[in-house]
Amino acid sequence: MSAEISAPAAPLTMAKAINAALSDAMAEDDKVVVFGEDVGALGGVFRVTDGLTAKFGEERCFDTPLAEASIMGTAIGMAVYGFKPVVEMQFDAFAYPAFEQIFSHLAKMRNRTRGAVPVPVVVRIPYGGGIGGVEHHSDSSESYFAHTPGLHVVTPATVEDAYSMLREAIDSPDPVIFFEPKRLYWSKANVALPARTGPIGTAAVRRPGTQATLVCYGQTVPICMAAAEQAAKEGIELEVLDLRSLVPLDDAAIERSVAKTGRAIVVHESVGFGGFGAELAARIAERCFYQLEAPVTRVAGLDVPFPPPKYEHWYLPDADRVLDAVDRALSAG
Amino acid sequence: MSAEISAPAAPLTMAKAINAALSDAMAEDDKVVVFGEDVGALGGVFRVTDGLTAKFGEERCFDTPLAEASIMGTAIGMAVYGFKPVVEMQFDAFAYPAFEQIFSHLAKMRNRTRGAVPVPVVVRIPYGGGIGGVEHHSDSSESYFAHTPGLHVVTPATVEDAYSMLREAIDSPDPVIFFEPKRLYWSKANVALPARTGPIGTAAVRRPGTQATLVCYGQTVPICMAAAEQAAKEGIELEVLDLRSLVPLDDAAIERSVAKTGRAIVVHESVGFGGFGAELAARIAERCFYQLEAPVTRVAGLDVPFPPPKYEHWYLPDADRVLDAVDRALSAG
Amino acid sequence: MTLLDLSARDREGATAIAVRPAWDSEPLRYLDEHGAPVEGGARPRPESLAPAALLRGYRALRFARAFDTEATNLVMQGRLAVYPSCRGQEACEVAAVHALTEQDWLLPTYRDSAALVLRGIPAVDALTLLRGTWHCGYDPKQWRTMPQCTPLATQGPHAVGLGLAAKLAGDDSVALCFFGDGSTSEGDFHEACNSAAVYQAPVVFLVQNNQYAISVPLHKQTRATSLADKAVGYGMPGVRVDGNDLIALTAVLGEAVDRARAGGGPTLIEAVTYRLQAHTNADDAARYRQSAEVEYWRHRDPIDRLARYLTAIGALDATVEAEIDEECEQYCERMRAQFAEEPTYHPDEMFEHVYAEPTTQLLAQREMVRAEYGSGEGEGAAQ
Amino acid sequence: MTLLDLSARDREGATAIAVRPAWDSEPLRYLDEHGAPVEGGARPRPESLAPAALLRGYRALRFARAFDTEATNLVMQGRLAVYPSCRGQEACEVAAVHALTEQDWLLPTYRDSAALVLRGIPAVDALTLLRGTWHCGYDPKQWRTMPQCTPLATQGPHAVGLGLAAKLAGDDSVALCFFGDGSTSEGDFHEACNSAAVYQAPVVFLVQNNQYAISVPLHKQTRATSLADKAVGYGMPGVRVDGNDLIALTAVLGEAVDRARAGGGPTLIEAVTYRLQAHTNADDAARYRQSAEVEYWRHRDPIDRLARYLTAIGALDATVEAEIDEECEQYCERMRAQFAEEPTYHPDEMFEHVYAEPTTQLLAQREMVRAEYGSGEGEGAAQ
Ligand SMILES: Cc1ncc(C[n+]2csc(CCOP(=O)(O)OP(=O)(O)O)c2C)c(N)n1
Ligand SMILES: Cc1ncc(C[n+]2csc(CCOP(=O)(O)OP(=O)(O)O)c2C)c(N)n1
Ligand SMILES: [Mg+2]
Ligand SMILES: [Mg+2]
């Protein structure tokens, strides 16, 4: 059955690619179980788990009571037993009740048991804004998780990666926080499934360039591509580096690119202050100190609570802000 | 009564200074209430709230049921009503169950109500290692909070600051996460109370120097002082900048110092990757780009779960690691 | 093995096992679904049965329905970002608001916009969150009504704090906190109920059991036959009441509020009702429930039920209905007019009230956005 | 207003209010505090009353007490970083472990080190966490025993996961999860119990109500008169049993485990006991409780109680006691010997098992620490 989903006639949306990845993983390994709030009959509020219960039964894809800490803890217990749970946190901000389970158990179990108890849980978190969501529906919480040793933190930006990286995440022996860029759920591409791209931990150059590197991931990749496009019209060649994986981080790819361009702009949607972009900017500034011709600048979410729908266009990084930063970088030094 | 505590005969420990700050604040304003786990009869596991119930009664200082989210949410409700709750999270890792209340409510209430509902809650969190605590008793979680707009995040490093900054925090109209450096609870100084040092948001130069700036806060301040002492013996003059406040951050003080020294080493105990030191290093590298003679380096906790007591001396930054970083910085460029 | 087996085995004395008292299985009612009084049901205060009092309740029900219907139209016209309807649950909204004085605190969820306007908050302000123009459009302190809460059950501890604060301040105000059935599975619900009982805080926990948490039916949230059973474990009174019976709700809520005000501590109330609409306009209820079920509940509509009773006792006739229609229509017309014009926004708003005083970092960011805004980039970004 | 008033008012029929069945107020016993069987108490399985079975339990109690005493000595000698004693609670430790097969899962807290050694885990491995030499010293999968849990109640959802996994895998193993009385106030306790009931997962929730959460007495944790009352709200059986009565505990746990194994779902058990020592060696119990209270409970010691009964039925005499003393003394001597020598540590340990494969960043940090270690700085840092 999964085959039918796996060879799409029409172009595929990212949401459907994720659905296909879940379906194919469940078909291949009956230890893979999917659960969370509304993932069953409804197929999830974004329809990402659509049809899985019908296809695999209530025992493989089921609705849980409304309790995120318990969803996470149940996943940990099931993983200890030998299952490979893939749980859904319905929205970014609704993963917060599960933080203690994630920080104190999911991230540490392997280490505290000297490797005796790996917990290969995949935590799917739709994240970010741009969909006109009311408060608590548009947070970007990757920085909290990336700062927590023991977790892998990844986010796809393309339809192909969405499928491939989720398969990799499910295959991973480590817990993986899988951030799904909400705004890109309905982005489309013609991809033949099952597709496999690079392994977790490797970044991808989405557009080669020579004058500056745009370092981005998830929601901001299309924005950086658009910026690079515009810049090209003015004869400025920007390199767009899609990190794909925040933890592990592909330092080599970042250094390779910045060594070439001598300039870096870090772009993400999460709050800038103390955000993951700070780690990126700090690393680049330290490791590429002698190659940098301009300060590494950051284009990120503003240091305010995510604003209401009518305001979010002012909050979200866009191509114009990226290009302003590029101008500053190019005119510097 | 508070006066008696307020004019110590003998040198004062940081724990007693915090106790005095609570006592004095409660004596001055009966809207100040203290609650949490074991803060009553026991006086807290670190005895920081010792005697407050006896002095002010169960209605002003009380033990709560064992439920951190509810402690935090209750504090929010009481603050909305008009009280000034000062709550204790017994240990760093035990604040995790309260994250949702802190991130989704405490941090955002003022903004989402357009200023109509400020929530002047002070959250006291004993943090960090070095006391031989078993797992979950030595985390440094400041990076999570500093990345969350709406919160002030501060931590004292001296006995005097412990008193003064807590008084400032209680006076503040904004929610303040008050990190108490566990390892320094028993550090002593001769201070006459009530003492007032600089306001929240200002850093302090603990030792002037010319060759490099050690940027630190809380637990790592004494370590940087020790490192500077050792360096001085070899004729190297290091400046020690105690941030005191992570949010708001005293950019001016940092820039002033680095402009002078041309070199910066950021030192904190929390996990290095994606930690607050990344924000500091990124800012310094961006804003002092042309003054920097060497890459900004970070000396921080290792990117592993906080290790067991017998291992923590290898995990914790110490003077030797700071001096290694200083050597690298001085030999660079 | 079911609870019943257990209680049976218990009577044999196998072990002492706490089971829910069987007599609590039927929700408390005053009127049956046809609007006829039932035997041995709720015991309303006599004055609450006075035609004038009942008519006031009925007007409020009709008003809530009209407001909810208009809001539903507005969201379909794209005037609201999202709207979670309370259609079918109006009796809970009305009974809760009418049970409180102006000094009491109300803690609503996203589902309870009707309660906001019933409290007197202007519709534009009440719907600010769902319109997407700001997070909260009214002054929670002026209206003694907290912002609508979205993170489920997190408002529970706030109610405890408000109640405990009132108790410590020696003020006799009460906090009434709304929950949905699904949110009773959250840890915060438990922590709030348990703490409120320990503090004997003046709080009323009102669970609107509308049978679903988005798509998840009640039997996947609890194994117990009543959500009110949780009260037993908290050592507080728990009541299961027909949530579509305004008279029964008024009796139960009145008693709970009186008890709280008198220092008797919290009460947990489960109001058994039904969400007639989808979870929100964005939801597709056909995926998880049968229209037959919806039909069943349409026949238990809280408004029809009270109307039948009022008509039977001669307190309601076509003229009064016409008056009410008129009132509602006027209100909705004003709403339509108010929502027709888009307010203007300025990006500065985002930076205000993050802190009492903006940090230097925020001022710098505000400058950046102002510059873009001035240069039109701000709007540009909107495309 | 107390629950009693309420149930009274309820009988008058004011409103339907769920109250705890009065017959559940006394904890279930088999022996009174003097070791004499009580009327109409617990109903143990006949075979569990066989002298040999009882003697096995008694030996285990004595062993647990000896282990706990030795661990207390070790911490005073500085051989352990910290030690939370279970003195006075040994009957719960023994009954829980004996209720399980090797295939069943046990989820202990920091308080339950005795349960670990009772399961067969060597003392050095069982005490690794509290010795500070690593976070967990045994293989949780080999022993079907999760690492001792410190973040309160967070082990609850893990028990649900293990139970649900076994159910889905069609394996009949059961998960038994320890909690303290204080931890029942945590959200995770609620979420775990509620979810387990909904899933009908084979889990036994055993709350050791030792009357205190560090310094906080039970009446500040709950307004209910029994923690087992919470079971009502979860729609699962709840039992309140004397936690110092091994025979009653064995009966109640046996029934709960059988029910879970047979597909009957979870059970919540409150074992009423007492923590005879301070919370840990670092705690000062004099600050919050009277010695008279401690004395009262000393006279309800679980070991004396069973000893009296066994002596009365002629199953225990001085010779057997001497044998047991000898066994215990030998075990403790081995413990002393094992803890006398400090193990050696290598900093590399910290970097292992953070991930299946260390990241390049971790490898670099390991190199840094190795260099320091080689150069003696590592040790230097220890001073
Ligand atoms: C902590 C949290 N988790 C998940 C959600 C997403 N969510 C919004 S409404 C809802 C269902 C709530 O059901 P119920 O409590 O019964 O209230 P109702 O919507 O039926 O009024 C869910 C899961 C949320 N808002 N908060
Ligand atoms: C989430 C969390 N909050 C606080 C603590 C600190 N703490 C450790 S033990 C304890 C008391 C626990 O009491 P109880 O649950 O009754 O277990 P007992 O120690 O009596 O066995 C507290 C507050 C913790 N470990 N975890
Ligand atoms: Mg509902
Ligand atoms: Mg206890």
Side-chain angles (χ1 to χ4, degrees):
Chain A
M1 279 182 95
S2 64
E4 137 229 339
I5 274 197
S6 300
L12 203 67
T13 63
M14 182 181 282
K16 281 227 176 308
I18 296 171
N19 178 276
L22 291 169
S23 180
D24 293 353
M26 291 171 85
E28 274 179 33
D29 179 356
D30 58 17
K31 286 269 164 283
V32 176
V33 289
V34 171
F35 55 96
E37 294 155 6
D38 303 288
V39 297
L42 185 63
V45 294
F46 293 105
R47 301 299 182 266
V48 167
T49 57
D50 193 19
L52 297 180
T53 300
K55 201 180 299 174
F56 299 99
E58 276 253 25
E59 305 215 323
R60 301 285 308 282
C61 176
F62 56 91
D63 291 325
T64 63
L66 218 169
E68 292 77 11
S70 154
I71 291 169
M72 195 62 58
T74 300
I76 291 168
M78 291 184 78
V80 171
Y81 186 96
F83 281 86
K84 283 179 155 269
V86 182
V87 297
E88 173 175 305
M89 298 280 108
Q90 200 163 76
F91 282 88
D92 27 59
F94 309 142
Y96 298 161
F99 267 24
E100 182 183 33
Q101 285 287 349
I102 296 172
F103 295 172
S104 294
H105 289 295
L106 186 66
K108 298 182 164 81
M109 193 66 77
R110 176 189 287 272
N111 178 258
R112 57 204 281 255
T113 60
R114 284 208 173 93
V117 185
V119 280
V121 172
V122 177
V123 183
R124 294 182 38 247
I125 306 181
Y127 86 103
I131 62 161
V134 297
E135 58 174 359
H136 312 296
H137 289 78
S138 303
D139 289 6
S140 293
S141 52
E142 70 272 18
S143 312
Y144 302 125
F145 298 97
H147 177 55
T148 308
L151 303 174
H152 281 174
V153 181
V154 307
T155 178
T158 70
V159 174
E160 204 174 13
D161 263 352
Y163 178 93
S164 178
M165 288 170 66
L166 183 51
R167 293 300 305 271
E168 297 272 336
I170 295 170
D171 293 344
S172 169
D174 292 307
V176 179
I177 310 295
F178 191 85
F179 279 102
E180 300 177 358
K182 264 182 230 127
R183 203 179 358 175
L184 306 183
Y185 267 143
W186 302 280
S187 62
K188 285 206 175 99
N190 267 308
V191 293
L193 299 184
R196 286 288 175 135
T197 58
I200 284 176
T202 58
V205 173
R206 294 296 174 198
R207 177 187 177 111
T210 54
Q211 290 165 271
T213 304
L214 304 181
V215 184
C216 52
Y217 55 87
Q219 301 235 116
T220 55
V221 173
I223 288 158
C224 290
M225 291 300 280
E229 202 106 328
Q230 270 177 254
K233 298 207 190 82
E234 297 152 35
I236 302 167
E237 288 310 326
L238 301 175
E239 179 146 307
V240 178
L241 184 66
D242 174 1
L243 291 179
R244 302 173 72 250
S245 171
L246 281 57
V247 184
L249 183 63
D250 191 347
D251 275 321
I254 297 171
E255 284 165 45
R256 217 178 299 117
S257 178
V258 177
K260 179 175 67 176
T261 63
R263 291 178 165 84
I265 296 99
V266 174
V267 187
H268 65 58
E269 188 179 307
S270 123
V271 162
F273 192 84
F276 190 70
E279 179 61 43
L280 295 171
R283 295 181 91 74
I284 295 169
E286 180 175 0
R287 303 158 146 260
C288 307
F289 189 74
Y290 301 101
Q291 293 96 319
L292 280 177
E293 286 155 33
V296 180
T297 53
R298 289 178 276 166
V299 177
L302 306 169
D303 300 336
V304 305
F306 197 94
K310 303 285 188 184
Y311 292 77
E312 69 176 341
H313 63 280
W314 285 309
Y315 176 94
L316 297 168
D318 62 6
D320 294 316
R321 266 183 208 163
V322 173
L323 290 171
D324 288 348
V326 169
D327 290 345
R328 287 199 302 279
L330 292 176
S331 55
Chain B
M1 282 180 93
S2 65
E4 139 228 340
I5 274 195
S6 300
L12 205 66
T13 63
M14 181 181 282
K16 281 225 178 309
I18 295 171
N19 179 276
L22 291 170
S23 182
D24 293 354
M26 291 171 84
E28 274 180 31
D29 179 355
D30 60 16
K31 287 267 164 282
V32 176
V33 288
V34 171
F35 54 97
E37 294 155 7
D38 304 288
V39 298
L42 186 63
V45 293
F46 293 106
R47 302 296 182 268
V48 166
T49 57
D50 192 19
L52 297 180
T53 299
K55 199 180 298 172
F56 299 100
E58 276 252 25
E59 304 215 323
R60 302 286 307 283
C61 177
F62 55 92
D63 291 325
T64 63
L66 218 169
E68 293 76 12
S70 154
I71 291 169
M72 194 62 56
T74 300
I76 291 169
M78 291 184 78
V80 171
Y81 187 95
F83 281 86
K84 282 180 156 270
V86 182
V87 297
E88 173 174 306
M89 298 280 108
Q90 200 162 76
F91 282 88
D92 26 60
F94 309 142
Y96 298 161
F99 267 22
E100 182 183 33
Q101 285 288 348
I102 295 173
F103 294 172
S104 293
H105 289 294
L106 186 66
K108 298 183 163 81
M109 193 66 77
R110 176 189 286 273
N111 178 259
R112 57 206 282 255
T113 60
R114 284 208 173 94
V117 185
V119 279
V121 173
V122 176
V123 183
R124 293 181 40 244
I125 306 181
Y127 86 103
I131 62 160
V134 298
E135 58 175 358
H136 312 296
H137 288 78
S138 303
D139 289 7
S140 293
S141 52
E142 70 271 20
S143 311
Y144 302 125
F145 298 97
H147 177 56
T148 307
L151 303 173
H152 281 173
V153 181
V154 308
T155 178
T158 70
V159 175
E160 204 175 14
D161 263 353
Y163 178 93
S164 178
M165 288 170 67
L166 183 51
R167 293 299 306 272
E168 298 272 335
I170 294 170
D171 293 344
S172 169
D174 292 306
V176 180
I177 310 296
F178 191 84
F179 278 101
E180 300 178 359
K182 264 183 230 126
R183 205 180 357 176
L184 305 183
Y185 267 143
W186 302 279
S187 62
K188 284 202 173 102
N190 267 306
V191 293
L193 300 184
R196 285 288 175 135
T197 58
I200 285 177
T202 59
V205 174
R206 295 295 174 200
R207 177 188 178 112
T210 54
Q211 290 165 270
T213 303
L214 304 181
V215 184
C216 52
Y217 55 86
Q219 302 236 113
T220 54
V221 173
I223 289 158
C224 290
M225 291 301 278
E229 202 105 329
Q230 270 177 255
K233 298 207 189 83
E234 296 152 35
I236 301 166
E237 288 309 326
L238 301 176
E239 179 147 305
V240 178
L241 184 67
D242 174 0
L243 290 179
R244 302 174 71 252
S245 170
L246 281 57
V247 184
L249 183 64
D250 191 347
D251 275 322
I254 298 171
E255 284 165 45
R256 219 178 298 118
S257 179
V258 177
K260 180 176 68 175
T261 62
R263 291 177 165 85
I265 295 98
V266 174
V267 187
H268 65 57
E269 189 178 310
S270 122
V271 163
F273 192 84
F276 189 69
E279 179 61 43
L280 295 170
R283 296 180 89 76
I284 295 169
E286 179 175 0
R287 301 157 148 260
C288 307
F289 188 74
Y290 301 102
Q291 293 96 321
L292 279 176
E293 287 155 34
V296 181
T297 53
R298 287 178 276 166
V299 178
L302 306 168
D303 299 337
V304 305
F306 196 93
K310 303 285 187 183
Y311 293 77
E312 69 176 342
H313 63 281
W314 286 310
Y315 176 95
L316 297 168
D318 62 6
D320 294 316
R321 266 183 210 162
V322 173
L323 290 171
D324 289 348
V326 169
D327 290 346
R328 287 198 302 279
L330 292 177
S331 54
Chain C
M1 157 159 311
T2 73
L3 280 173
L4 229 129
D5 303 334
L6 277 176
S7 49
R9 292 179 60 271
D10 168 66
R11 277 187 231 88
E12 294 153 23
T15 57
I17 293 175
V19 288
R20 196 172 55 75
W23 46 257
D24 188 35
S25 53
E26 266 306 294
L28 195 70
R29 320 204 138 80
Y30 183 78
L31 298 177
D32 66 18
E33 53 265 50
H34 312 297
V38 296
E39 277 309 305
R43 300 250 190 105
R45 291 207 203 73
E47 63 274 23
S48 73
L49 290 175
L54 293 175
L55 210 50
R56 170 168 175 263
Y58 181 71
R59 277 197 146 79
L61 285 177
R62 292 283 315 279
F63 169 73
R65 174 70 51 95
F67 165 83
D68 186 75
T69 308
E70 188 54 44
T72 302
N73 295 338
L74 287 171
V75 78
M76 291 190 300
Q77 295 155 19
R79 297 266 175 223
L80 299 179
V82 61
Y83 184 69
S85 166
C86 68
R87 191 181 188 91
Q89 305 177 220
E90 292 91 347
C92 299
E93 304 285 307
V94 169
V97 171
H98 285 187
L100 302 178
T101 70
E102 280 189 350
Q103 290 316 299
D104 295 325
W105 286 89
L106 183 72
L107 292 97
T109 75
Y110 51 86
R111 175 86 49 214
D112 307 304
S113 304
L116 303 185
V117 289
L118 286 163
R119 269 220 123 179
I121 299 171
V124 227
D125 301 342
L127 290 170
T128 295
L129 170 71
L130 301 170
R131 192 182 191 185
T133 51
W134 198 254
H135 306 299
C136 177
Y138 50 91
D139 179 342
K141 288 181 160 178
Q142 178 197 339
W143 295 100
R144 292 265 179 151
T145 303
M146 286 291 278
Q148 285 176 290
C149 190
T150 296
L152 295 166
T154 56
Q155 72 278 17
H158 304 164
V160 177
L162 285 164
L164 181 58
K167 183 178 175 174
L168 294 178
D171 135 15
D172 72 353
S173 58
V174 168
L176 189 150
C177 189
F178 278 113
F179 292 95
D181 46 308
S183 71
T184 63
S185 299
E186 291 279 6
D188 278 28
F189 172 82
H190 171 74
E191 296 190 7
C193 291
N194 191 60
S195 303
V198 168
Y199 299 139
Q200 286 293 286
V203 181
V204 176
F205 297 104
L206 176 56
V207 176
Q208 291 187 64
N209 172 6
N210 65 4
Q211 313 299 328
Y212 288 91
I214 303 186
S215 70
V216 182
L218 184 66
H219 68 85
K220 288 185 179 179
Q221 295 295 346
T222 182
R223 174 82 176 179
T225 41
S226 165
L227 294 169
D229 291 354
K230 291 192 162 67
V232 179
Y234 304 125
M236 67 166 85
V239 190
R240 185 154 184 260
V241 60
D242 186 326
N244 289 4
D245 180 342
L246 184 64
I247 299 175
L249 278 165
T250 303
V252 168
L253 279 163
E255 193 177 323
V257 168
D258 290 350
R259 183 183 306 121
R261 209 183 295 290
T267 303
L268 174 60
I269 298 169
E270 174 191 14
V272 182
T273 179
Y274 193 78
R275 192 193 74 210
L276 286 171
Q277 299 282 24
H279 174 69
T280 70
N281 53 293
D283 178 37
D284 172 9
R287 284 180 165 252
Y288 55 81
R289 69 184 190 186
Q290 308 291 327
S291 54
E293 179 185 291
V294 182
E295 271 320 298
Y296 172 90
W297 283 94
R298 275 195 206 296
H299 294 106
R300 277 144 188 81
D301 188 292
I303 301 182
D304 301 347
R305 192 182 302 192
L306 188 57
R308 292 211 191 87
Y309 177 67
L310 288 175
T311 314
I313 65 170
L316 183 64
D317 61 20
T319 0
V320 183
E321 287 281 15
E323 272 171 42
I324 301 176
D325 287 339
E326 180 55 24
E327 285 166 20
C328 293
E329 188 32 51
Q330 281 173 12
Y331 183 88
C332 293
E333 245 168 42
R334 271 202 308 286
M335 258 175 88
R336 279 190 289 277
Q338 290 166 323
F339 282 86
E341 74 236 11
E342 264 295 296
T344 56
Y345 316 99
H346 194 286
D348 279 9
E349 281 276 323
M350 293 187 292
F351 300 94
E352 273 150 40
H353 313 302
V354 176
Y355 300 101
E357 296 298 331
T359 60
T360 52
Q361 292 81 6
L362 281 177
L363 292 175
Q365 292 180 18
R366 191 175 68 187
E367 277 323 302
M368 173 192 79
V369 178
R370 276 184 183 170
E372 293 175 353
Y373 184 65
S375 73
E377 268 186 33
E379 286 84 336
Q383 307 331 318
Chain D
M1 152 157 321
T2 71
L3 279 173
L4 226 132
D5 302 333
L6 278 175
S7 48
R9 291 179 60 272
D10 168 66
R11 276 185 232 88
E12 295 153 23
T15 58
I17 293 175
V19 287
R20 193 173 58 76
W23 47 257
D24 189 34
S25 52
E26 267 305 295
L28 195 71
R29 310 208 148 80
Y30 182 77
L31 299 176
D32 64 19
E33 52 264 52
H34 313 297
V38 296
E39 276 309 303
R43 300 249 191 105
R45 291 206 203 73
E47 62 276 21
S48 73
L49 291 175
L54 293 174
L55 212 48
R56 170 170 175 260
Y58 182 71
R59 277 198 148 77
L61 286 177
R62 293 284 313 280
F63 168 74
R65 173 70 51 95
F67 165 83
D68 186 77
T69 307
E70 189 53 44
T72 301
N73 295 337
L74 287 172
V75 78
M76 290 190 300
Q77 296 154 20
R79 298 262 175 225
L80 300 179
V82 62
Y83 185 69
S85 167
C86 69
R87 192 182 187 89
Q89 304 176 223
E90 293 90 345
C92 299
E93 303 285 306
V94 170
V97 171
H98 286 186
L100 302 178
T101 70
E102 281 189 349
Q103 290 317 300
D104 295 326
W105 286 88
L106 184 71
L107 293 96
T109 76
Y110 52 86
R111 174 88 45 217
D112 307 304
S113 303
L116 302 185
V117 289
L118 285 165
R119 271 220 121 178
I121 298 172
V124 228
D125 300 343
L127 290 170
T128 295
L129 169 71
L130 301 170
R131 192 182 191 185
T133 51
W134 198 255
H135 305 299
C136 176
Y138 50 92
D139 178 340
K141 288 182 161 177
Q142 179 197 338
W143 294 101
R144 292 265 178 150
T145 302
M146 286 291 278
Q148 285 176 291
C149 190
T150 296
L152 296 166
T154 56
Q155 72 277 19
H158 305 163
V160 178
L162 285 163
L164 181 57
K167 182 178 174 174
L168 293 179
D171 134 15
D172 72 353
S173 57
V174 167
L176 189 150
C177 188
F178 279 114
F179 292 95
D181 47 307
S183 70
T184 62
S185 299
E186 292 277 8
D188 277 28
F189 172 82
H190 171 75
E191 296 190 8
C193 291
N194 191 60
S195 303
V198 168
Y199 299 139
Q200 285 292 284
V203 181
V204 176
F205 297 105
L206 176 57
V207 177
Q208 291 186 63
N209 171 7
N210 64 5
Q211 314 298 328
Y212 288 91
I214 304 185
S215 69
V216 182
L218 184 66
H219 69 84
K220 289 186 179 178
Q221 295 295 347
T222 182
R223 174 80 175 180
T225 41
S226 164
L227 294 169
D229 290 354
K230 292 192 161 70
V232 179
Y234 304 124
M236 67 166 85
V239 189
R240 185 156 184 260
V241 59
D242 187 325
N244 291 3
D245 180 341
L246 184 63
I247 299 175
L249 279 164
T250 303
V252 167
L253 279 163
E255 193 178 323
V257 168
D258 289 350
R259 182 185 304 120
R261 209 182 297 288
T267 302
L268 174 60
I269 298 169
E270 174 192 13
V272 181
T273 180
Y274 193 77
R275 191 194 73 210
L276 287 171
Q277 300 283 24
H279 174 69
T280 69
N281 53 292
D283 179 36
D284 173 10
R287 282 178 166 253
Y288 54 82
R289 70 185 188 186
Q290 307 291 326
S291 55
E293 179 184 291
V294 182
E295 270 320 298
Y296 171 90
W297 282 95
R298 273 193 211 297
H299 293 106
R300 277 145 188 81
D301 188 290
I303 302 182
D304 302 347
R305 191 182 301 191
L306 189 57
R308 292 211 191 87
Y309 177 68
L310 289 174
T311 314
I313 63 170
L316 183 65
D317 59 21
T319 359
V320 183
E321 286 281 15
E323 271 171 43
I324 300 176
D325 286 339
E326 180 54 25
E327 285 166 20
C328 293
E329 187 33 47
Q330 282 174 13
Y331 184 89
C332 292
E333 245 167 45
R334 271 201 309 285
M335 259 177 87
R336 278 191 289 276
Q338 289 165 324
F339 282 87
E341 72 233 13
E342 264 294 296
T344 56
Y345 316 98
H346 194 285
D348 279 9
E349 281 277 321
M350 294 188 292
F351 300 95
E352 273 151 41
H353 313 303
V354 176
Y355 301 100
E357 296 298 330
T359 61
T360 52
Q361 293 80 8
L362 281 178
L363 292 175
Q365 291 180 18
R366 191 174 68 186
E367 278 322 303
M368 174 193 78
V369 179
R370 275 183 184 169
E372 293 174 354
Y373 184 65
S375 72
E377 267 186 29
E379 287 84 336
Q383 308 327 319

